[in-house]
Each structure stands twice: as structure tokens, then as C-alpha cells.
Amino acid sequence: MKVIDLDTYKIQIGDFWKEIQLKKYSSIFVLADQNTKEHCLPIFENNISNLDFHLIEIQSGEIHKNIETCQFIWSEMVKNGADRKSCMINLGGGVIGDMGGFTASTFYRGMDFIQIPTTLLSQVDASIGGKLGIDFMNLKNAVGLFKNPSQVCVSADFLKTLSIREIRSGFAELIKHGLIASKDDWIELQNIKKISEVTDWEKYIIPSLEIKKSVVHKDPFEMGLRKSLNFGHTIGHAIESHALSNGISLLHGEAVAIGLICESFLSHKVVGLSAQSLDKISTYIINHYGKYKLKKSNFSTYLHLMTKDKKNENQIINFTMISEIGTIILNQTANNSLIQESLEYYISL
């Protein structure tokens, strides 16, 4: 088992089951959706025997990451006698982790929660940093807080329960971490020709988590360096939010993949990322993700959604850019016409 130490908690990767500390809690709640209840809860129960817990089941998907679902979770906690000495175990992907952590952190002003991320996306992204929240008025993570879990437990065994599309969604965050922080990791990822053929995911998860750990440790509340983790997300979140509000099937990582291409284009235009690097990034991502049909008629909506991004200051859209692979430049701006040009670049590929 690999252990990554953070200031107030540990991330345990591999065979972590014997290391979960649960005896001190007055009661235990497990939050799952219908998918993780079917596919992941049996793994959990097989490895932690004789555990008395209350299962709270919610509907799956980003569309349900809202205050109405939180109200349901809180009501189930109240009905089953939760108190400040209770613990919430979040068994699922990023939606479960974000919302479970949020509801636990706000119930009676806060109780412990343990993250057991079951998707590649949540294992390499949401498992570090204590960002919790829900969507509001079609804006991703508009309501939330920073609060660290008591433990994070990562197992590649859960990835065997996922579709290749879900794996590919998480893979976008691995790409992002390489682009912003490690040319060596980026080069290593080039060896992956088909995501479906990867068997040893820990080989890629661990260095990716080390990158995020380093960034979050230096900037826990996103005042500076941590903004680098949003590379690809300013445009990606806007496209994802539009799809979500229109009932279009688009996963988070699929939207981020589009954003990585567009924001690499902006990096080329604004901070001098080489044309060769831009081409390599674009080709690699398209090879793995294919093309999403962006419509020029939606460009104004995307731009409006970007103005709501949490990183913005004085209503100016804020970007993280890369001057070369592994080198970030924070707090960059681009006018609307250049942002639209980046979207047109994606369409042209």
C-alpha cells in the first residue's frame, strides 16, 4: 500500500481496508448512488465485515448535485440519529464526494467524512484538496466550502466496475496534471495508445496525486498556485454547464478535454506555447476523445458562463496558461474574440 501524507489526513492507495479507522464513531453513514450501490458496495462490504452502517442512496449524475439532493441526505441523517460524532463514508465518484463531504461538513456544523473515490476522475482529482460543493442555477460548484476529509482511500479495483467512457473522463485530469507540472509525466502518457488497454492504473494515479498534493500544500485555498489546477476548466466548465442545462450527455472529463485544447490554443497565442506543442496536445486528445460537436450558435452562451467562473476578478475571465509543457503562467486574460477563436480552432481539428 502506498501512503501520501498531507497535513491533516492521509491518502491510502492499494489494499487500504485494514487501515480504515471507524471504531470511534457513534454511527456510520454510507452515501452511494444506484450505480455504486450495485457495483461498489459489495466490494466495500466484502472487505469491511460486520460493520453496522446506514446506507443513503441517491440518484447518480451531475444533474442531481443540487440543494434538493442535499436536503434528502440531511433528512436521512436526522431520521437515523446522526450527530456530530457520526461519520459519513462517501462511496462513489466526484458527485458523491463533493456532495457527501458538503452535507457532512455542514450538518451540525461539521462531522467527519471519509472519501472512497470509485472513479478514475475522483481518485486523481477530488481526492486531494478538500473542495466540496454543489451546483446552483446551472453553475458548477457555485455553493461550497473547503474542508478536508479524515481519510481518503483509493483502490484501482473499483476501476474494474467502470465503462471505458468513465475511465476516459478521469484520464483528462491525468493529462492536465502532466501539462501543468511534469513534462516527464506527459511523455509517459504518450505511451498509452488505447486507454482500454491500461492494466496498472496505480502507475499513473500515484504521480498524478503527488502533483496535486504539491500544488494544494502550497496553496490550500486557491489564492494563487492552485489556480493552475483549473487549466482546461474555464472553457471546459462552460461547455459542461451548457450541456448539463440542455440535457446533453457530456461527462466532466470530456468537457475538460475540449477545454485543454482550447486553452492550449490560448496559451499559444498569449504566452508563447509552441505550435508544435499545441499540435501534439490537440492530436493526442482528439485521438483519445474524438470530436464533440461545438456549435457556433452557442459561443455567446459559453462566454456568458465563463464570466461566472470563480477565478474571475472584476468580471474579467481568468485563465491559467502554459508557456511550455510543465510550465504554468497564472492569471492570464483573453478577449472574447480570441476565446471564440480558440473554440473555432477546436472545431477545425
Side-chain angles (χ1 to χ4, degrees):
M1 182 181 71
K2 167 72 174 178
V3 177
I4 297 178
D5 286 302
L6 289 98
D7 289 339
T8 61
Y9 65 101
K10 299 177 186 294
I11 298 177
Q12 296 158 163
I13 306 162
D15 187 14
F16 57 75
W17 299 103
K18 293 180 181 178
E19 304 301 320
I20 297 181
Q21 304 297 316
L22 296 172
K23 295 181 180 179
K24 63 179 178 179
Y25 296 115
S26 60
S27 58
I28 296 170
F29 293 78
V30 173
L31 182 66
D33 60 30
Q34 64 263 43
N35 293 325
T36 54
K37 177 185 177 183
E38 178 182 356
H39 300 291
C40 301
L41 189 61
I43 299 173
F44 176 84
E45 291 180 311
N46 287 340
N47 284 280
I48 300 184
S49 58
N50 302 318
L51 177 67
D52 184 21
F53 64 88
H54 303 282
L55 177 67
I56 301 177
E57 182 183 351
I58 61 173
Q59 292 179 284
S60 63
E62 184 81 23
I63 193 172
H64 298 294
K65 197 172 83 170
N66 53 40
I67 192 66
E68 289 80 11
T69 306
C70 290
Q71 289 174 329
F72 170 76
I73 295 169
W74 287 319
S75 68
E76 289 297 299
M77 294 164 71
V78 171
K79 289 176 185 177
N80 289 283
D83 57 36
R84 295 180 71 178
K85 297 298 184 181
S86 299
C87 177
M88 177 78 83
I89 298 176
N90 299 315
L91 183 68
V95 172
I96 290 287
D98 278 358
M99 194 157 43
F102 177 74
T103 52
S105 298
T106 50
F107 186 79
Y108 286 154
R109 296 194 177 95
M111 64 188 224
D112 280 1
F113 62 96
I114 295 171
Q115 304 286 44
I116 303 184
T118 60
T119 65
L120 181 59
L121 176 61
S122 59
Q123 289 181 359
V124 300
D125 183 40
S127 58
I128 292 182
K131 275 187 176 182
L132 310 168
I134 57 173
D135 302 339
F136 184 69
M137 295 182 68
N138 294 321
L139 297 175
K140 277 184 61 66
N141 304 317
V143 179
L145 72 159
F146 289 94
K147 180 69 182 295
N148 286 328
S150 58
Q151 290 176 268
V152 176
C153 305
V154 173
S155 173
D157 286 345
F158 289 117
L159 303 185
K160 299 172 185 176
T161 70
L162 299 177
S163 68
I164 186 58
R165 188 182 179 198
E166 288 285 354
I167 292 286
R168 190 165 56 237
S169 178
F171 191 69
E173 295 293 338
L174 294 172
I175 295 172
K176 179 199 73 178
H177 286 154
L179 291 177
I180 65 170
S182 176
K183 187 177 293 185
D184 288 342
D185 284 2
W186 166 248
I187 292 171
E188 182 69 32
L189 290 175
Q190 306 308 293
N191 295 322
I192 299 176
K193 306 305 179 185
K194 289 186 177 181
I195 296 173
S196 60
E197 294 178 352
V198 177
T199 56
D200 181 12
W201 278 110
E202 286 188 16
K203 173 182 177 181
Y204 302 100
I205 290 171
I206 291 170
S208 189
L209 284 173
E210 293 284 6
I211 288 172
K212 186 160 187 181
K213 171 195 170 180
S214 176
V215 172
V216 170
H217 177 74
K218 294 173 184 175
D219 180 20
F221 299 114
E222 202 172 56
M223 302 304 292
L225 179 62
R226 189 166 176 173
K227 293 179 182 179
S228 65
L229 297 171
N230 287 287
F231 181 58
H233 285 61
T234 302
I235 292 176
H237 272 169
I239 294 170
E240 183 183 6
S241 294
H242 174 267
L244 182 67
S245 63
N246 286 275
I248 300 169
S249 176
L250 185 69
L251 299 179
H252 173 74
E254 294 169 337
V256 167
I258 300 167
L260 290 173
I261 292 175
C262 293
E263 294 181 31
S264 293
F265 176 86
L266 294 179
S267 298
H268 170 61
K269 291 291 187 179
V270 177
V271 298
L273 179 70
S274 71
Q276 182 183 31
S277 291
L278 172 61
D279 181 65
K280 283 186 176 181
I281 293 167
S282 302
T283 300
Y284 184 75
I285 291 174
I286 293 296
N287 283 345
H288 282 299
Y289 291 85
K291 288 281 296 294
Y292 177 74
K293 292 183 179 179
L294 290 182
K295 296 180 180 179
K296 291 186 179 181
S297 58
N298 292 328
F299 282 10
S300 60
T301 301
Y302 297 152
L303 287 166
H304 173 71
L305 289 167
M306 287 177 221
T307 65
K308 306 297 182 182
D309 190 277
K310 296 182 293 299
K311 301 183 301 302
N312 296 343
E313 297 178 6
N314 299 319
Q315 296 186 328
I316 297 174
I317 301 172
N318 186 298
F319 290 96
T320 291
M321 298 186 188
I322 54 172
S323 58
E324 61 179 331
I325 292 172
T327 302
I328 57 163
I329 301 182
L330 300 175
N331 301 322
Q332 297 301 299
T333 60
N335 60 38
N336 286 358
S337 62
L338 188 56
I339 295 171
Q340 290 188 66
E341 191 177 342
S342 76
L343 295 167
E344 290 169 351
Y345 168 76
Y346 176 85
I347 291 173
S348 72
L349 294 171

